[in-house]
Amino acid sequence: MNASNAMTIVNSALNYLATLPQQNRIEVESQNSFTDRYSPVDHVSGSSVVMQQPAWNNNNWGYDTLAKPFGGGQLFLENSYAFLKNTGQWFLDPQAGRLYYKAPGGWVPGSHDVELPRLTSLLRISGSYGNPVRGLTFKGLRFEHTTWLTPGTSVGYANQQSGTFLPAAAPMPADFLTSCQSGCRQFEGARNGWAQAPAAIQVSAATGITFTGNTFAHLGQVALGIGNDADAHASGVGLGASSVTVDHNTFTEDSGAGIVVGGVRPDAHHPADPAMTDRDITLSYNTVSRVALDYREMAGILSTYVTHAVITHNDVADLTYDGVDVGWGWGANDPGGSQDYRNRGLYDFQPVYSTPNGRRRAS
């Protein structure tokens, strides 16, 4: 890096980057210890790769950053026609209306089904806290073919683990590239504004919902989101999912997690309205394999703050990160708080809670 908004090319073999068209569609991806970050390029000038903001700054402060990953740190340049090298790679040029694919020998286009997803969600189930959607069953359906466009915008994907990311610029110290590579006080001030990646099928403010015998495949994001924060729901209403059963379904070939239940913001763990509580969620006998293919820091199944979550007899395999994750907050929102987060300065920005959070057995 030569500045807070750029990288310097030190390998002359990469000088050709300055000659490429549509440089603002190129993306930097960094696969780190527990984050998988995407930051789009603005332009390339000489040996300087200038990045789009706020994605670049947001990806370079906090923990496990693009600049100083805790582990891993594989860095990739993606999304240019010039990068097509290996069989199976593809590039979409919207301006030209063309999709390029590096095909294997003997591949005949007419004998294959090629899909270009345009929808960012397929199904949105959401009422209100006072009048939730009730009593729906979805059985034997195939949910396929969505996209998620945010990582390619100036917001990027300033990933913080398990599908959460920084959605906007936040106040940060001027010297964040040195002072905030393993956390800092101002970073704690941004923590409660983390966003969740949206799902293709979204359930919030709903009760008595069942998914059984369905297939969730070829989705460009999280497959099924149940009671996530409002920012992850196109309806604008988050949380409030109860008595939801997901049984004997298949999740495969998806860009994000298979199933994400619960939110991460304050109303998820200490809801202002009891009707916001996610409760009585059953995930049973599902097959979850080859998900999180593009956002590799996501688990097959994640449950955050849920009252009475039952996760049983699921076959979870062939994943890029964790299989099944339960919980969120690392003790910061438990009664009495966490000394670690007290040392970090989190409680300068939020209360030390004296009451239990939503992650517990039913009362």
Side-chain angles (χ1 to χ4, degrees), residues 70-90:
F70 291 165
Q74 298 183 81
L75 203 64
F76 302 90
L77 283 175
E78 303 170 349
N79 207 35
S80 173
Y81 176 79
F83 301 158
L84 285 178
K85 303 294 182 185
N86 300 321
T87 298
Q89 293 179 335
W90 57 272

Side-chain angles (χ1 to χ4, degrees), residues 41-357:
V41 171
D42 185 81
H43 66 277
V44 183
S45 179
S47 62
S48 183
V49 182
V50 180
M51 307 300 295
Q52 294 185 40
Q53 297 288 12
W56 185 245
N57 282 0
N58 281 345
N59 270 307
N60 279 302
W61 75 319
Y63 298 87
D64 200 35
T65 67
L66 197 155
K68 292 186 179 180
F70 291 165
Q74 298 183 81
L75 203 64
F76 302 90
L77 283 175
E78 303 170 349
N79 207 35
S80 173
Y81 176 79
F83 301 158
L84 285 178
K85 303 294 182 185
N86 300 321
T87 298
Q89 293 179 335
W90 57 272
F91 172 71
L92 175 66
D93 186 343
Q95 292 183 357
R98 291 180 178 272
L99 174 66
Y100 298 91
Y101 175 63
K102 192 75 170 179
W107 194 84
V108 180
S111 63
H112 296 270
D113 180 29
V114 180
E115 304 281 348
L116 179 61
R118 299 184 65 182
L119 296 177
T120 55
S121 63
L122 297 178
L123 179 63
R124 307 166 185 173
I125 304 168
S126 185
S128 65
Y129 301 130
N131 186 25
V133 174
R134 297 176 182 273
L136 296 177
T137 295
F138 300 88
K139 183 176 181 179
L141 302 176
R142 292 187 66 88
F143 298 103
E144 294 185 279
H145 308 307
T146 60
T147 187
W148 183 41
L149 301 176
T150 298
T153 70
S154 60
V155 170
Y157 187 51
N159 172 238
Q160 305 301 313
Q161 190 178 28
S162 298
T164 59
F165 65 100
L166 300 181
M172 59 178 59
D175 62 347
F176 67 90
L177 283 174
T178 55
S179 70
C180 199
Q181 295 304 300
S182 189
C184 61
R185 179 181 174 277
Q186 283 174 286
F187 181 78
E188 297 304 318
R191 186 176 292 273
N192 285 327
W194 292 4
Q196 289 183 289
I201 291 79
Q202 304 172 4
V203 183
S204 64
T207 187
I209 309 299
T210 298
F211 293 89
T212 183
N214 303 290
T215 297
F216 300 74
H218 311 125
L219 300 168
Q221 60 208 112
V222 174
L224 175 59
I226 302 171
N228 304 144
D229 292 323
D231 61 270
H233 288 272
S235 68
V237 179
L239 308 171
S242 66
S243 299
V244 178
T245 299
V246 183
D247 179 73
H248 281 91
N249 300 278
T250 298
F251 299 81
T252 189
E253 301 295 325
D254 297 322
S255 292
I259 309 170
V260 175
V261 185
V264 300
R265 292 185 174 182
D267 273 331
H269 52 78
H270 286 86
D273 181 340
M276 293 178 172
T277 303
D278 291 325
R279 63 170 61 248
D280 302 325
I281 310 297
T282 301
L283 313 178
S284 56
Y285 295 95
N286 299 289
T287 299
V288 182
S289 65
R290 283 188 54 78
V291 300
L293 295 178
D294 288 311
Y295 309 110
R296 296 173 176 86
E297 88 306 334
M298 294 192 196
I301 297 172
L302 169 65
S303 173
T304 63
Y305 298 104
V306 181
T307 298
H308 190 222
V310 176
I311 304 174
T312 181
H313 292 89
N314 297 283
D315 185 349
V316 184
D318 198 8
L319 304 173
T320 57
Y321 188 51
D322 291 351
V324 179
D325 285 347
V326 176
W328 193 262
W330 304 275
N333 303 310
D334 293 344
S338 157
Q339 185 59 48
D340 182 29
Y341 281 91
R342 190 171 284 106
N343 296 340
R344 297 182 188 194
L346 175 65
Y347 302 119
D348 293 340
F349 303 96
Q350 70 166 65
V352 176
Y353 293 100
S354 59
T355 55
N357 63 53

